[in-house]
Amino acid sequence: MTQLRTVQVLGGGSAGSSAHVRSLASGLVARGVRVTVCAPAELDRLYDYSGAGAHLVPLPRRNDPATVGALRNACIGADVVHAHGLHASVRAALAVSGAVGPARTPLVTTWHGRPPADGPRAGIVRLLERRTARAAAVVLGTSSELVDRARRRGARDARLAPVTLPPARGPVCLHDGKARAELGAVDRPLVMAVGALEAGRGYGTLLDAARAWRDLDPAPLLVVAGEGRERAALQRRILAEALPVRLIGRREDVAELLAAADVAVLPSRWEARSPLAQEALRLGVPLVATAVGGVPELVGDAAELVPYGDAAALASAVRGLLEDEERRMDLAAAGRVQAGTWPTEDDTIAHVLSVYDELTGR
């Protein structure tokens, strides 16, 4: 039997989908699969797909005929093309549909999240979702809500994918004094958030909450790791209102910083299997998150859940945890137990490989 060859396609590449493809590439290569990753070059610098044993085909983030042509060439001879996210799925569907030969290469697409869209853009997103869902042989959703969404968009076969991000490599020290000193939280509580500074991530609400809890003595320091288009506006507000908040940009040591925190916060409008939530529960860091998307399914009873956009509820939940050490310890223990129920990295890779085998008749 010939060696299975798969092409993994990334578009913009969220942290969750990019890390998932890195894990998938490494696991598939270890199982004898030839893997090509088509992704923006900057993602390879961050996630080292080449170092995982994959062949990298760099693609620009923008869509144009030349990009689709390059992707089509990369897919020649592939047994399965697997796209991650809506942007990548649109490209992959165009590339596969234009391929020549006796049979079209089967397309698998994983829906890692739901693109934020309001007004006219919402209609465009629905149209793109319908086209990619119908073009795919199998749609894998990282939450039950995404599976239902894919079916509503016309997917022939939509399944729940046991996608779990690999844990941080190496030992991580909880409440590390060095990390807290670097962040400026030696003698005050540390609250940590991680994620792109984009609309829909709830950072405006989070700043409202930070304003509400600054009367605590000592006032907690909120640290946000991530970059994005909203950074300048958020920084202006932090300075204008003298909020106890630091924006520290993109970091490679997120696990270490998160482990140093007293509480982690996830204020997003929508999430599927949030990398922050997974890392916090694994590390035993108490989590306050919005009850949206796949978050309740992911965390169970191991986190404090609040409505999206409710600054008072968010502030109250964080304040309550900071003032109740026993509750923080209970959530820390519950988080580790909940994380133990998630599929392992090997489970994730084995499931994807079984889908490939099914589609190729192996």
Side-chain angles (χ1 to χ4, degrees):
M1 182 178 291
T2 58
Q3 188 179 27
L4 182 70
R5 178 171 176 250
T6 177
V7 176
Q8 306 288 320
V9 185
L10 276 164
S14 67
S17 61
S18 299
H20 171 60
V21 170
R22 174 58 164 82
S23 170
L24 200 56
S26 178
L28 291 173
V29 167
R31 289 161 175 77
V33 179
R34 291 172 57 204
V35 178
T36 296
V37 174
C38 297
E42 58 265 32
L43 291 183
D44 187 52
R45 289 192 290 271
L46 288 171
Y47 295 95
D48 193 20
Y49 302 117
S50 304
H55 171 64
L56 178 74
V57 175
L59 295 176
R61 289 179 181 269
R62 66 183 184 278
N63 276 324
D64 58 46
T67 299
V68 175
L71 180 55
R72 185 173 295 152
N73 289 335
C75 293
I76 293 174
D79 297 294
V80 178
V81 176
H82 190 165
H84 300 265
L86 182 60
H87 188 184
S89 297
V90 171
R91 288 180 168 185
L94 289 171
V96 170
S97 66
V100 295
R104 181 181 295 181
T105 304
L107 173 65
V108 177
T109 178
T110 296
W111 290 20
H112 292 269
R114 188 178 70 182
D118 298 302
R121 178 172 161 75
I124 296 173
V125 167
R126 281 195 299 272
L127 175 62
L128 294 177
E129 286 180 339
R130 280 199 297 270
R131 289 185 174 178
T132 57
R134 293 170 182 176
V138 176
V139 177
L140 300 175
T142 57
S143 70
S144 299
E145 182 179 337
L146 287 173
V147 173
D148 292 340
R149 185 180 180 91
R151 288 171 179 160
R152 291 196 302 271
R153 299 293 188 256
R156 291 170 284 167
D157 186 343
R159 312 177 189 180
L160 184 64
V163 173
T164 296
L165 297 183
R169 305 298 181 187
V172 177
C173 180
L174 285 175
H175 302 293
D176 180 35
K178 181 180 178 181
R180 292 178 72 96
E182 178 200 340
L183 296 173
V186 174
D187 298 318
R188 61 195 300 193
L190 175 61
V191 180
M192 190 83 196
V194 180
L197 306 182
E198 304 287 352
R201 301 307 293 264
Y203 289 116
T205 303
L206 186 54
L207 294 191
D208 290 340
R211 184 175 57 200
W213 67 54
R214 65 183 173 183
D215 64 326
L216 291 174
D217 186 18
L221 174 66
L222 169 63
V223 173
V224 182
E227 280 293 352
R229 288 170 290 188
E230 298 292 312
R231 176 164 185 161
L234 293 171
Q235 189 64 60
R236 284 194 298 270
R237 185 176 165 195
I238 291 167
L239 294 174
E241 300 179 26
L243 298 176
V245 180
R246 284 190 62 195
L247 307 181
I248 61 172
R250 188 190 298 273
R251 296 287 294 247
E252 299 298 318
D253 56 346
V254 165
E256 288 78 6
L257 299 181
L258 185 60
D262 298 288
V263 175
V265 287
L266 179 67
S268 303
R269 179 169 67 179
W270 197 90
E271 294 279 352
R273 295 184 70 86
S274 159
L276 169 64
Q278 292 185 55
E279 200 67 73
L281 266 61
R282 282 191 181 121
L283 292 171
V285 178
L287 174 68
V288 177
T290 44
V292 297
V295 173
E297 181 180 16
L298 176 69
V299 304
D301 296 325
E304 296 279 4
L305 298 179
V306 299
Y308 168 72
D310 190 334
L314 181 59
S316 177
V318 171
R319 181 190 293 265
L321 286 177
L322 292 177
E323 294 176 341
D324 189 343
E325 182 179 3
E326 186 175 349
R327 176 61 177 158
R328 294 202 305 274
M329 293 176 62
D330 288 344
L331 277 184
R336 294 190 181 97
V337 171
Q338 180 71 9
T341 69
W342 298 336
T344 64
E345 192 174 3
D346 282 344
D347 293 334
T348 299
I349 295 162
H351 175 263
V352 169
L353 190 54
S354 73
V355 173
Y356 295 170
D357 288 343
E358 177 186 334
L359 294 175
T360 58
R362 291 173 177 258

